[in-house]
Amino acid sequence: MVAILGMASNRGRNLLNIHRERPGGAQLGVVLTNDASAPVLDGAAEYGVPTEVVEREAGEDRFSHEERILDAVADYDIDVVCLDGHMRILSSVFLDAMPITLNVHPSLLPAFPGADAWDEALHAGVAVSGCTVHVVTNAVADDGSIIESKIDGGPIVTQEPVPVYDDDTTATLKDRILYDGEFLAYPRAVRWVAEDAITVTENEEGPVSVTVPDDQHETFPTRRLDSHDRRSVLRYGENPHQEAALYASADVTEPSVVGAEQVSGDKGMSYVNYVDAAGALDLITEFERPAAAVIKHANPAGCATDEELVGSYDRALSTDPMSAFGGVVALNRPCDPATAERIVDSVKHVVVAPGFTGDALSILGDRESMRVLDVSDGSPGPIGPDDRIQPLAEKQLVGGRLVQERDLARIDPADLEVVTDREPSDDERHTMAFAWPVVKHATSNAIVMATGTETVGLGIGQVSRVDAVRIAGIKAEEHAEGKGPGGAVMASDAFFPFPDGIERAAAAGVEAVIQPGGSIRDDEVIDVANDHDLAMVFTGQRCFLH
């Protein structure tokens, strides 16, 4: 057990919270107060924690009082000292005799040190405050006087940001910082101490810096501090009975639907609109050539590139016009009038583009129910792979979040590993280079069938890969307009665990396959491809999407 000496002059709620949580196995070994009426004594008693009271006597100097505190706790095992509203500035008499001493302060130091941090934050009109856990350092001169500039000046261990709202009072801000800030940050700091995970650097005056392992990790630091401002309250969430809001991050500079201006539409964006629009935008920025994608329920219903934007849209739509009904359209070029005319021919809920030319916006505006987003940030122009600069992707979980590098990997057709007897033709390699980024943006298990630079059939979100192949073939045969699976290239987001997927693809008319490879049955899969005279290449990289 890591034993804590907890020191408080009032309720000591942080100390009792730490004792309940036992971070890193640490718990209160003794609670000491300088006030015999402090409520923390009753709180400690409820948990069976020993207590000591050392009040300052009339006329007693600071150093003598601290000597008596040391005497009172001399028989206890103490591994770390935690202060929680201990209303006495400690000197080197106490600090030098004790192990590391921590304090929690209700602001993001160095802002608002001292006793009135909440009021000062409100008076300053800041949008974000929070709390800081720091190592306590000596702020007392040799004559016993307080050195004001050194109060709350010890090296910072960790911080937790907390929003400040326009209608906050001192009381509401105190509670939010306590429960949403201090109750998170203080146990975290104690856990790091208990696990011997921090390094305190000292000089002749005391501690000067604190290092946590991986603090300097550029991508995945030990602590991530994110700040997002609410941009809008949405009509509802994923379903009408769920409330929702959109929050924006100030440090994202690539084209984004979060920061986009809605330039047309009589209704605001919904939660699902944003999800689909973000997915559509993410897909079409994979391509250098004019590209269009239609997204439905976060998955592509069709995607294509062409020399002209209107051609890209027509070919994307023709993949599955039935599924595209009520979907989201994204373009990687400013929308021109010809493309706008084609978009309004059928029902689409959202259009996303990096600007609009000519009468395109007024044409789109004729369909009042369609939301139109401009992601150009005032500078219309093409967007593509060079704009994909946000490095991380996140997924919220109950209790935390997953953070990973964004899948920005690209393939070079010339570097693909050919594993079959037949080499893919130049045209097939060209289509492989198109189909692979499309399958990256389809929910796993995912199959994309394509000819040239347009999709012809997609099988998405299946728990069986052979079913994904079967559905892609059915879509291409029955739903695509003016095209089909004959002569198509098939892209798979992961390896084929059995040869049956290749058998079904060949039966549908597929002639070439791009997949990661890596199955224990790769040889069987290759043999079946050879039996059907298919060309197959391995990318060596998987592109799951969940």
Side-chain angles (χ1 to χ4, degrees):
M1 182 190 84
V2 173
I4 300 170
L5 164 58
M7 298 175 65
S9 300
N10 198 341
R11 287 184 282 182
R13 288 179 290 182
N14 275 298
L15 299 180
L16 300 178
N17 180 61
I18 289 169
H19 187 71
R20 287 190 296 268
E21 291 196 13
R22 311 289 172 95
Q27 63 185 72
L28 291 170
V30 58
V31 168
L32 182 141
T33 181
N34 58 350
D35 185 345
S37 63
V40 70
L41 295 171
D42 293 333
E46 290 182 13
Y47 293 103
V49 176
T51 59
E52 299 287 343
V53 179
V54 183
E55 293 186 308
R56 188 178 182 186
E57 297 176 350
E60 184 178 25
D61 66 47
R62 185 179 305 276
F63 304 131
S64 297
H65 183 225
E66 291 182 11
E67 291 284 2
R68 289 199 299 116
I69 291 174
L70 292 173
D71 290 341
V73 298
D75 294 334
Y76 294 96
D77 291 329
I78 299 170
D79 300 302
V80 56
V81 180
C82 291
L83 308 184
D84 182 18
H86 179 69
M87 304 308 292
R88 295 288 297 166
I89 303 297
L90 295 171
S91 77
S92 57
V93 170
F94 176 88
L95 296 173
D96 290 351
M98 281 287 145
I100 185 172
T101 298
L102 302 178
N103 182 48
V104 62
H105 182 78
S107 76
L108 297 177
L109 292 172
F112 315 129
D116 297 316
W118 310 279
D119 289 335
E120 290 183 20
L122 291 173
H123 182 72
V126 297
V128 177
S129 187
C131 71
T132 301
V133 180
H134 63 94
V135 177
V136 179
T137 53
N138 181 38
V140 180
D142 291 342
D143 62 1
S145 62
I146 303 300
I147 306 173
E148 296 289 340
S149 62
K150 292 189 177 182
I151 295 175
D152 298 323
I156 292 171
V157 179
T158 188
Q159 295 180 307
E160 190 70 29
V162 173
V164 181
Y165 301 135
D166 291 342
D167 60 352
D168 264 332
T169 64
T170 301
T172 59
L173 185 57
K174 275 186 177 182
D175 280 349
R176 189 177 309 110
I177 289 177
L178 175 66
Y179 294 112
D180 295 350
E182 296 172 19
F183 272 24
L184 298 178
Y186 218 164
R188 179 191 310 131
V190 171
R191 174 170 56 83
W192 287 344
V193 172
E195 295 174 351
D196 199 25
I198 68 172
T199 301
V200 180
T201 303
E202 301 189 18
N203 61 17
E204 64 277 3
E205 294 185 359
V208 294
S209 67
V210 172
T211 303
V212 179
D214 286 336
D215 254 2
Q216 306 306 314
H217 195 295
E218 292 184 3
T219 306
F220 304 113
T222 301
R223 273 288 290 144
R224 298 182 72 242
L225 296 179
D226 292 329
S227 178
H228 296 81
D229 294 325
R230 191 179 69 195
R231 183 175 175 87
S232 62
V233 175
L234 305 180
R235 289 183 294 135
Y236 52 80
E238 205 155 11
N239 299 291
H241 65 277
Q242 296 170 267
E243 295 183 356
L246 175 69
Y247 285 82
S249 177
D251 62 353
V252 175
T253 57
E254 76 172 73
S256 163
V257 298
V258 174
E261 179 185 2
Q262 182 173 337
V263 293
S264 184
D266 60 2
K267 293 181 180 179
M269 293 280 286
S270 72
Y271 181 101
V272 172
N273 291 156
Y274 273 114
V275 172
D276 287 352
L281 181 62
D282 201 25
L283 170 55
I284 54 94
T285 53
E286 292 274 5
F287 302 104
E288 298 276 5
R289 299 176 75 211
V294 182
I295 297 289
K296 189 79 171 288
H297 295 300
N299 278 296
C303 182
T305 71
D306 199 356
E307 294 302 321
E308 300 293 335
L309 191 62
V310 65
S312 299
Y313 174 75
D314 283 341
R315 295 166 71 189
L317 180 65
S318 65
T319 301
D320 192 353
M322 182 176 69
S323 296
F325 181 89
V328 170
V329 176
L331 312 171
N332 71 351
R333 296 291 191 276
C335 183
D336 55 72
T339 306
E341 292 280 8
R342 294 291 296 118
I343 291 173
V344 298
D345 279 347
S346 59
V347 175
K348 301 294 182 293
H349 285 170
V350 181
V351 176
V352 183
F356 304 86
T357 63
D359 296 331
L361 191 55
S362 62
I363 294 169
L364 296 172
D366 287 341
R367 190 175 285 276
E368 295 180 355
S369 63
M370 187 165 62
R371 298 89 163 164
V372 180
L373 300 184
D374 185 348
V375 296
S376 69
D377 196 24
S379 300
I383 54 177
D386 290 344
D387 294 293
R388 298 169 58 80
I389 57 177
Q390 192 68 14
L392 300 178
E394 303 186 15
K395 186 178 288 292
Q396 190 76 27
L397 306 177
V398 174
R401 65 179 60 190
L402 293 170
V403 182
Q404 66 172 346
E405 292 180 337
R406 191 173 171 195
D407 188 356
L408 300 175
R410 300 179 65 78
I411 61 168
D412 184 338
D415 295 337
L416 297 172
E417 179 189 3
V418 180
V419 295
T420 48
D421 294 339
R422 183 172 78 80
E423 291 256 354
S425 67
D426 289 345
D427 286 345
E428 287 171 335
R429 285 182 183 270
H430 186 57
T431 302
M432 289 174 177
F434 163 78
W436 185 252
V438 177
V439 82
K440 277 173 54 177
H441 294 269
T443 305
S444 302
N445 289 311
I447 293 292
V448 170
M449 293 181 182
T451 57
T453 58
E454 63 182 297
T455 52
V456 298
L458 298 98
I460 296 170
Q462 300 303 306
V463 294
S464 166
R465 189 156 301 278
V466 69
D467 280 347
V469 176
R470 179 177 61 84
I471 291 170
I474 291 172
K475 289 282 191 180
E477 285 279 6
E478 300 180 6
H479 293 188
E481 292 184 348
K483 54 189 176 184
V489 167
M490 179 174 72
S492 174
D493 65 339
F495 62 65
F496 287 91
F498 302 98
D500 53 357
I502 302 300
E503 291 275 11
R504 186 168 286 276
V510 168
E511 294 185 358
V513 178
I514 178 170
Q515 59 134 321
S519 168
I520 60 174
R521 295 182 178 86
D522 272 350
D523 288 345
E524 297 175 40
V525 172
I526 293 168
D527 286 343
V528 170
N530 284 328
D531 290 343
H532 291 280
D533 196 32
L534 301 185
M536 185 160 64
V537 301
F538 286 176
T539 65
Q541 58 182 239
R542 192 179 71 185
C543 57
F544 269 169
L545 178 66
H546 292 87

